[in-house]
Each structure stands twice: as C-alpha cells, then as structure tokens.
Amino acid sequence: MTIVVGQIESLKKLKEVLIENGITRFNSIGEINSFLKNYESEKEEIPKITKITLDQEIKELEETTKQAVEKSNQNLFNKIVYYLKIKSLTNKKSNLEKNYENVLSTRCKESYKNLDFTKEVIDGLYTLIAGAVGENLTVKELEKLSNDYYLINDFSVEFNPPIYNKNENDRIFSIQIDHLLICKSGIFLLETKNWSNKSIENLALRSPVKQITRTSYALFVLLNSESNINLVRHHWGSAKIPIRNIIVMTKVKPKEEFKHVKVLTLNELNGYIKYFDKIFNNDEVEHIFNYLNNEIH
C-alpha cells in the first residue's frame, strides 16, 4: 500500500470554514454526504430526540439528587457540604418538570435553528466539498499501489528568490499541487478535477493544464538543480529526475489531448503510472521523497 503523508487541501479548507462557523460535528466527507442525504429525516426526528434527551436529563437529576441525599445523611459534615447542592439539583429538576412543554419547545426551536444553519453553510461550500470528494477519490486509487510509492498530498513550497521561466516571462514565487507521487520511475504531479462537462466547457475556470505545467517547471528546476539529493551517479553523469504531469478527472474528461499533460480517468490512473520503466532504486526513491517532504515542513 502506498505510503501517504499530508491531508488534501480542499478538505483542510473545508474543516477550517466549518470550525469558523462553529460546526464541529463532521470528521469526514462521508459524514457530510450522510448529513445532506438525511437532512429532512433528521429534522423530523428533532421533537422525538429532544424529548428523549430532556426526559433523560430529568432522570439523571433525580438520580444525582438521590445520591447526594444519601451522602448527606452519613454525617453532619456531609449534611452541611451537600445542602446547597441538593437544593440546586432539586430546584433544577422542579423547574424542568413545571415548564416541561416550554423547555421542550425552546430546545426544539434551537435544534431546528442549528440544523438549518448547518445546512445553509454546507450548501454554500459545494465547490469545496466537490473538490474534497474528487481529491479523496484520487488518494484512494493511489493507495492501491505498492509500498515503494510515496504520496504527498497538498504539496506546496515558496521560492526566495523566485524561479524565473523565461519562456513564459513568469516569476514563480510559490507552487501548490494536489498530489505528488514519488516512485522508481520518477515523479508524477497530479491535479484532481471533479468537473462536469459544463465545468470543462466553462471559459471562466482557470486552465488546469496551465496550472500544472507551471508547477512542473518550478519543481523540475528545484529538483534538478539540487546536489543534496543522494542519487547513484551514472558514469555518464548526473541522472535527471523525470516529472510527468497528470490531470485526474473523476467524472468526465475532455476528448482533446494536451501537450506536456496526460488527462486520465480514475480507472486509467494506476495503469498509466505503472507503465513507465523503473530508473531509481528504493533508497533513491526514499531520498527524493525525504527531500520533498522536508521542503514543505
């Protein structure tokens, strides 16, 4: 199984936004999808669950009061210590019982409000959720590879001074890539797009081809200009670290092909990666991985 480090970028951003809005109930994309699927039924269950919770609270107060009374009766010291606690517990239980319907109604309204707010926030995060779903599918597919493959999710690094690409007249101050796969045949840069045909045809969306080729250029300069990556030296000279660019389309992919980039579906992904000849040994792969992993930490 592939060795994986790092969390996918869209999932990190998603968690940050949810926490900013005080929503902590979700620990995975699966839980979010389940919430959206079961939203209406969860709403219908609110009165029933709220009543069960309120009844349980009253029962627990009764039991806690009973235990406090028993301890109070043991001696004079306990009677003094537990007097105020017993009074507080008794009053709280009495207030809940006397105002049962009002308390139940108020708590139901609060639950409805919180549930609707959560739904509103989740609906507003559709793009992030779709991105996280797509990237997670890519990670799951890459995890099927053997343990001599290394995967870095959300690889990002800054350059000071910037890397200059004279062909594009572009100064590259930083790069970010969804997934970086290091293996015996070299390095694969993978950008995941969970796009529909409509998104593919949308001229307003940034070209993933341009994005990944820009990143690939900067990474090639970084890797092949460094002498501190411990690779076996060939008698002809220093070996080049090949970088291959992949755009993974989790729904549909365009019919066209593009220069310097391979556009693949999930089903095509691992077969394409394993097609290339192995040029590095295990130690060299580990050295490249450690170097890149250290660059982002």
Side-chain angles (χ1 to χ4, degrees):
M1 184 177 179
T2 305
I3 297 170
V4 181
V5 297
Q7 189 179 60
I8 57 180
E9 181 200 23
S10 52
L11 186 56
K12 286 192 287 189
K13 288 183 178 178
L14 183 59
K15 287 184 175 179
E16 288 173 4
V17 175
L18 290 175
I19 290 173
E20 286 173 3
N21 285 277
I23 301 172
T24 58
R25 62 177 286 180
F26 304 115
N27 294 308
S28 68
I29 292 297
E31 290 183 2
I32 292 176
N33 287 333
S34 179
F35 167 78
L36 292 172
K37 181 180 179 181
N38 300 311
Y39 166 73
E40 291 297 339
S41 59
E42 183 175 337
K43 198 169 188 176
E44 291 174 2
E45 288 289 307
I46 283 178
K48 177 183 175 182
I49 293 174
T50 305
K51 185 177 186 306
I52 291 173
T53 303
L54 180 55
D55 290 344
Q56 183 64 31
E57 184 178 345
I58 293 171
K59 185 177 179 181
E60 289 175 358
L61 283 170
E62 183 178 355
E63 183 62 30
T64 304
T65 304
K66 182 180 177 181
Q67 293 173 359
V69 169
E70 290 176 354
K71 291 180 179 179
S72 171
N73 292 333
Q74 289 178 357
N75 52 60
L76 181 60
F77 176 77
N78 281 5
K79 190 176 289 294
I80 298 171
V81 170
Y82 281 95
Y83 172 76
L84 292 178
K85 182 176 181 179
I86 293 170
K87 186 176 180 179
S88 175
L89 290 169
T90 302
N91 288 339
K92 188 173 182 180
K93 176 176 176 290
S94 178
N95 286 333
L96 289 177
E97 290 174 331
K98 288 179 181 178
N99 301 288
Y100 187 89
E101 293 301 328
N102 287 336
V103 172
L104 189 62
S105 176
T106 300
R107 291 187 180 184
C108 282
K109 288 179 182 178
E110 188 66 25
S111 294
Y112 286 130
K113 182 180 177 181
N114 291 337
L115 188 68
D116 288 340
F117 175 73
T118 300
K119 178 68 162 52
E120 183 180 343
V121 171
I122 293 296
D123 286 344
L125 296 173
Y126 174 80
T127 302
L128 267 181
I129 293 172
V133 168
E135 290 181 43
N136 189 57
L137 289 172
T138 297
V139 171
K140 293 299 181 184
E141 189 65 23
L142 294 173
E143 283 179 344
K144 298 175 183 177
L145 297 168
S146 56
N147 61 5
D148 53 353
Y149 288 81
Y150 294 82
L151 178 64
I152 302 176
N153 291 313
D154 186 26
F155 177 84
S156 59
V157 63
E158 297 180 355
F159 304 109
N160 188 18
I163 291 175
Y164 180 62
N165 182 351
K166 64 179 181 180
N167 293 330
E168 299 290 335
N169 191 26
D170 181 23
R171 284 181 170 80
I172 304 173
F173 290 87
S174 64
I175 56 173
Q176 186 280 329
I177 195 73
D178 291 343
H179 320 282
L180 195 63
L181 186 72
I182 303 102
C183 60
K184 292 179 180 178
S185 55
I187 292 177
F188 294 88
L189 266 66
L190 300 102
E191 189 74 18
T192 298
K193 297 300 177 186
N194 192 21
W195 285 3
S196 63
N197 277 319
K198 184 178 179 181
S199 295
I200 291 174
E201 295 169 3
N202 188 345
L203 299 179
L205 292 176
R206 181 184 179 189
S207 166
V209 173
K210 186 175 182 180
Q211 177 185 355
I212 200 170
T213 51
R214 182 177 186 271
T215 300
S216 180
Y217 177 83
L219 187 63
F220 180 85
V221 172
L222 174 68
L223 285 170
N224 290 286
S225 63
E226 291 288 344
S227 59
N228 57 349
I229 303 176
N230 191 14
L231 303 180
V232 175
R233 184 175 177 82
H234 193 276
H235 66 280
W236 286 6
S238 299
K240 180 180 76 172
I241 301 176
I243 300 174
R244 298 180 177 89
N245 307 316
I246 301 174
I247 297 174
V248 185
M249 306 299 294
T250 59
K251 288 183 177 177
V252 292
K253 73 173 186 177
K255 297 177 182 178
E256 297 83 358
E257 294 188 358
F258 305 90
K259 293 180 179 179
H260 315 302
V261 176
K262 193 71 174 176
V263 182
L264 302 170
T265 64
L266 283 169
N267 290 336
E268 298 169 328
L269 181 57
N270 287 350
Y272 176 79
I273 290 170
K274 291 188 285 187
Y275 167 80
F276 295 93
D277 292 334
K278 298 175 181 179
I279 57 175
F280 299 120
N281 60 39
N282 287 329
D283 289 340
E284 290 176 308
V285 173
E286 190 172 345
H287 289 316
I288 297 171
F289 164 72
N290 287 333
Y291 172 76
L292 290 171
N293 195 35
N294 289 334
E295 279 294 309
I296 61 174
H297 294 96

